[in-house]
Amino acid sequence: MAGSSGLGGGAGQGAALRASRAPLLLVALVLGAYCLRVLPGRCPPAARTLAPAPSPSEPPSSVRRPGAPDLPVASGPGRRRFPQALIVGVKKGGTRALLEFLRLHPDVRALGSEPHFFDRCYERGLAWYRSLMPRTLDGQITMEKTPSYFVTREAPRRIHAMSPDMKLIVVVRNPVTRAISDYAQTLSKTPGLPSFRALAFRHGLGPVDTAWSAVRIGLYAQHLDHWLQYFPLSHFLFVSGERLVSDPAGEVGRVQDFLGLKRVVTDKHFYFNATKGFPCLKKAQGSSRPRCLGKSKGRPHPRVPPAVVRRLQEFYRPFNRKFYQMTGQDFGWG
């Protein structure tokens, strides 16, 4: 009996202990899920390279810039080079579409994924960064796109240190529409997210919360002002995300001119997909079949009350006007 009582008491204590631990386990699971969503993603794996070898097109080590590393040169057709042009922004502006359109050009070689070198992976070093790049032949341009560069404080300084002559492409979009699109993407990954209104404003329809990244990214003038401390305006091309939808050939033509390329990608390469609401490629790179961007592109936006949209339009108006003055372009956002 005593033994039975002891066993019963032990079982009761174990159950109580498990019950007391349940809330802690729940908190741990929630924190773990939050960290997976919020913390920076992993850096992409480097390509395998052979041992360093001299290249006739590179200056001898004695005349390299002080502090420049001796970097490996890939064998085979072409070489891995640092990018000569970057698509640095902005998120949900149309950067993926622009990159895919440009990859139709035979003289453009672009990294498909976002390397996040100048914001998340800078400690990996320049040799690692170059190892990610596709091989190019003489006369071809190497590109990559990471839209978070435009809003990363350290990015312009780091890019300038690598290449003061870098050509910088920024795809911009009405900041209100961009913020809603940003929210829609996050909502698709995080069901149960507070409403757009609750995140965009403090205390109901109080002050706009610029601490929220979906709002802060749209302050284009402020971000550009920081970049202009390192690069002249002539190094930038500002692409309209709206015109990239309504006139893709025209906007891509401007980009080809900016890059010093022949206008190879023209209106014959595009058709408008009414279901998705944006242009698709008649012939994608490496394929004879038409291709649209993935399912995550062109997702429907949640309904946002008109009063919320008007408040955000009023908030962004002075920043938009300053951006128009800085770039010499009127994007028509009001």
Side-chain angles (χ1 to χ4, degrees), residues 116-183:
H116 285 278
F117 176 66
F118 296 105
D119 58 352
R120 299 177 187 171
C121 306
Y122 194 63
E123 72 283 352
R124 294 292 184 95
L126 288 171
W128 175 85
Y129 181 53
R130 195 173 80 169
S131 75
L132 301 176
M133 298 302 143
R135 293 188 177 115
T136 55
L137 302 173
D138 290 341
Q140 291 182 319
I141 291 177
T142 304
M143 295 184 64
E144 66 112 324
K145 76 106 177 171
T146 304
S148 54
Y149 290 163
F150 192 61
V151 298
T152 299
R153 191 75 179 170
E154 300 82 10
R157 174 179 55 81
R158 290 170 173 176
I159 294 170
H160 186 271
M162 184 190 76
S163 175
D165 299 322
M166 184 68 71
K167 293 185 176 182
L168 304 162
I169 299 169
V170 189
V171 187
V172 289
R173 182 184 184 188
N174 185 318
V176 178
T177 311
R178 196 222 66 80
I180 296 172
S181 179
D182 198 336
Y183 173 78

Side-chain angles (χ1 to χ4, degrees), residues 25 89 150 183 234 256-257 291:
L25 180 60
F150 192 61
Y183 173 78
S234 60
Q256 291 173 98
D257 294 344
R291 176 176 173 270

Side-chain angles (χ1 to χ4, degrees), residues 33-56:
Y34 174 82
C35 289
L36 285 174
R37 292 197 309 267
V38 174
L39 293 179
R42 294 180 178 178
C43 300
R48 296 181 61 184
T49 57
L50 299 178
S55 170

